[in-house]
Amino acid sequence: MTGESAIRPATGADVQAIERIVHDAYVGYVERIGKQPGPMLDDYPARVAEGAVSVLTLDGAVVGVLVLLPERDHLLLDNIAVDPAHKGQGFGRRLMAHAEDEARRRAYAEIRLYTHVLMHENLVL
């Protein structure tokens, strides 16, 4: 990882970058599963407005997205995506660590992540 990076709450100004990153991160799965994965269909302006989205920035540019939704007995990791141009730099691990920190801060003992069975790369998470 080079450059200055930070994780912060997303703002309306980030929505276009969020939507691009989610598209680029998930478009490769469309053919495999036969439809757009759920994260590609989400209403990111609404998610940002409700405070559910954090972004990871590198030198001020958004390179990662994290969507956390509070549930009654767990924190749902609804989406985690890194710009494919920045994969392999530890940003996904950093976003996961942030999700774990948020779960502890919010007093959740569990984080859940749902993924499509054909997205086998994500099953490790």
Side-chain angles (χ1 to χ4, degrees), residues 1 3 10 26 38-39 66 73 75 82 84 94 97 99-100 109 115-116 121:
M1 217 179 323
Y26 287 92
L66 179 67
D73 62 346
L75 188 60
V82 174
R94 185 148 174 226
E100 291 169 352
T115 190
H116 194 284
E121 299 90 345

Side-chain angles (χ1 to χ4, degrees), residues 89-118:
Q89 297 180 38
F91 294 131
R93 283 188 301 279
R94 185 148 174 226
L95 287 166
M96 280 298 300
H98 181 76
E100 291 169 352
D101 290 344
E102 276 298 299
R104 280 188 288 276
R105 187 182 72 76
R106 299 179 193 192
Y108 285 105
E110 181 179 359
I111 297 175
R112 293 184 188 170
L113 166 68
Y114 297 108
T115 190
H116 194 284
V117 68
L118 295 177

Side-chain angles (χ1 to χ4, degrees), residues 21-98:
I21 289 168
V22 170
H23 174 271
D24 292 352
Y26 287 92
V27 71
Y29 294 112
V30 172
E31 185 175 337
R32 186 187 306 175
I33 66 173
K35 62 181 181 177
Q36 288 185 319
M40 292 179 79
L41 305 172
D42 211 345
D43 181 350
Y44 289 100
R47 291 284 188 220
V48 168
E50 68 190 32
V53 184
S54 296
V55 292
L56 188 148
T57 61
L58 178 63
D59 295 329
V62 176
V63 298
V65 178
L66 179 67
V67 180
L68 297 173
L69 303 176
E71 300 290 339
R72 184 183 55 75
D73 62 346
H74 66 278
L75 188 60
L76 177 63
L77 197 165
D78 189 58
N79 187 9
I80 184 170
V82 174
D83 185 331
H86 294 281
K87 287 205 176 217
Q89 297 180 38
F91 294 131
R93 283 188 301 279
R94 185 148 174 226
L95 287 166
M96 280 298 300
H98 181 76

